[in-house]
Amino acid sequence: MTIEWDKLGFDYIKTPFRYISTWKDGKWDEGELTEDSTLHIHEGSAALHYGQQCFEGLKAYRCKDGSINLFRVDENSKRMNRSARRLLMAEVPEEKFIQAVEEVVKANEAFVPPYGSGGTLYIRPLLIGVGEGIGVHPAPEYLFTVFCMPVGAYFKGGLTPTNFIVSDYDRAAPQGTGAIKVGGNYAASLLPGEEAREKSFSDCIYLDPATHTKIEEVGSANFFGITKDNRFITPLSPSILPSITKYSLLYLAEHNLGMEAVEEDVYLDSLDKFKEAGACGTAAVISPIGGIQTYDDFHVFYSETEVGPVTQKLYDELTGIQFGDVAAPDGWIRNIKV
């Protein structure tokens, strides 16, 4: 397969190998690499009927010396197991999770985009409930698989601010599954997201379901804002997915940029205190927010066309760490020699 690295989008591309392992009778098998990209599961699998499934998303980065970096893969493992516990699924031991990811990256090393291309290898770990069943109860077996594909830079031509609109839909309930990474959360976001795009916005802003006065998430990403007195603020709520990118930015804002960095309520009627804003997550790293359409106002932050200086610094710092050009905090990077 010939790949034009500079033309990659964020789409599925089949790579040669993926990892698969099965939990049965109380234990995981050894797991193995396979070339079969089709999952063979029972028609009564709980994942199909009752949504007993969770997943993760992370990337591998080609460094200048040709080696490959994995970014905070242990945090992805911990988050998947939090999801598994919430859904009464078999947990995947952290050592097994990391080994599976590393095996998949090494086996598909030729598909890791070159350093400087802006591309990365996107990695998708998936855990699903399988086996015979039809009643509403945990599955008798579980399947853990990890596959990957090369993806391009999310932004063509650099960071580009886009606009968002407040939604009347609720993304998640306070005691529901908003804080874990399960497919149902994303399925529920398809209609609100489509309605936002029909109105020429990138996606929608979800508010807290209890009062509809506070920002919770931006589409499938976490919100952050830079205040006029130079504080980094991101919403605090039990129904927000704990983004690994968000917590990395909180750390970097405080330790590398010298800012006060906090999680606290972000009220919709207090947007004037922010000079910059953005959404953050694994896929896009940072998506600058140009403006937000509220119920009765369109609020512009730094600019609808230019990226704010603090947002740019955070982006450069984080991607520099991921690609090995900036020193990383202890434990953030696992380097794979090839």
Side-chain angles (χ1 to χ4, degrees):
M1 178 187 297
T2 301
I3 296 177
E4 296 182 89
W5 302 111
D6 61 337
K7 295 182 180 178
L8 281 171
F10 207 85
D11 302 299
Y12 178 85
I13 295 175
K14 183 181 178 182
T15 50
F17 299 100
R18 65 274 308 130
Y19 175 94
I20 192 163
S21 183
T22 300
W23 184 93
K24 187 176 181 179
D25 299 326
K27 61 182 180 180
W28 288 101
D29 64 16
E30 289 298 315
E32 63 179 357
L33 291 175
T34 176
E35 296 184 62
D36 188 356
S37 59
T38 301
L39 298 179
H40 304 269
I41 64 175
H42 192 274
E43 62 187 355
S45 293
L48 301 177
H49 301 273
Y50 307 119
Q52 201 186 26
Q53 63 87 242
C54 60
F55 67 98
E56 279 298 319
L58 64 153
K59 292 177 178 178
Y61 307 81
R62 181 78 70 179
C63 301
K64 189 179 294 184
D65 65 2
S67 65
I68 299 169
N69 276 350
L70 291 175
F71 180 73
R72 308 196 75 177
V73 60
D74 57 317
E75 293 298 325
N76 289 100
S77 173
K78 291 180 176 68
R79 189 169 66 180
M80 174 170 270
N81 280 334
R82 288 196 297 271
S83 298
R85 287 192 293 273
R86 176 63 176 82
L87 299 185
L88 292 180
M89 303 174 74
E91 295 182 37
V92 179
E94 185 171 308
E95 181 180 350
K96 184 181 184 71
F97 182 100
I98 294 174
Q99 178 186 344
V101 170
E102 290 189 346
E103 284 187 15
V104 168
V105 171
K106 290 176 182 177
N108 297 289
E109 185 267 335
F111 289 83
V112 181
Y115 173 84
S117 67
T120 55
L121 188 75
Y122 184 78
I123 304 160
R124 170 55 56 84
L126 174 67
L127 178 64
I128 62 175
V130 297
E132 295 182 8
I134 199 62
V136 183
H137 51 69
E141 301 173 19
Y142 295 93
L143 187 152
F144 171 58
T145 184
V146 180
F147 61 98
C148 67
M149 69 215 69
V151 297
Y154 203 84
F155 304 106
K156 299 301 181 184
L159 297 174
T160 304
T162 57
N163 299 327
F164 296 81
I165 184 171
V166 167
S167 176
D168 286 323
Y169 290 96
D170 291 330
R171 174 187 166 272
Q175 302 301 320
T177 59
I180 61 174
K181 199 168 178 67
V182 294
N185 294 342
Y186 295 82
S189 73
L190 295 177
L191 177 59
E194 182 64 22
E195 290 184 356
R197 286 183 287 274
E198 287 174 354
K199 297 175 182 177
S200 299
F201 292 93
S202 288
D203 210 328
C204 57
I205 301 281
Y206 293 105
L207 305 179
D208 70 295
T211 69
H212 276 212
T213 61
K214 297 178 285 188
I215 290 178
E216 288 215 331
E217 291 210 344
V218 184
S220 58
N222 283 186
F223 175 89
F224 72 87
I226 310 299
T227 65
K228 293 174 181 176
D229 59 355
N230 221 37
R231 300 170 71 221
F232 180 101
I233 297 178
T234 186
L236 178 66
S237 166
S239 56
I240 293 175
L241 181 72
S243 164
I244 294 164
T245 302
K246 179 187 78 172
Y247 284 110
S248 300
L249 291 174
L250 277 163
Y251 180 94
L252 295 175
E254 178 180 355
H255 293 87
N256 291 30
L257 274 62
M259 304 170 65
E260 180 184 356
V262 296
E263 292 178 274
E264 64 182 35
D265 289 337
V266 176
Y267 286 93
L268 199 61
D269 62 3
S270 66
L271 296 182
D272 284 342
K273 72 180 182 181
F274 295 107
K275 61 181 179 180
E276 300 177 31
C280 60
T282 297
V285 185
I286 290 176
S287 175
I289 298 176
I292 293 177
Q293 177 66 56
T294 64
Y295 295 116
D296 53 9
D297 180 51
F298 181 69
H299 180 84
V300 176
F301 295 97
Y302 181 79
S303 168
E304 289 186 75
T305 57
E306 297 180 9
V307 182
V310 179
T311 299
Q312 185 69 59
K313 285 180 183 177
L314 286 168
Y315 178 84
D316 292 342
E317 198 76 8
L318 182 57
T319 56
I321 288 170
Q322 291 168 333
F323 284 102
D325 298 325
V326 174
D330 289 343
W332 279 25
I333 295 294
R334 291 180 70 93
N335 185 258
I336 300 174
K337 304 295 183 183
V338 292

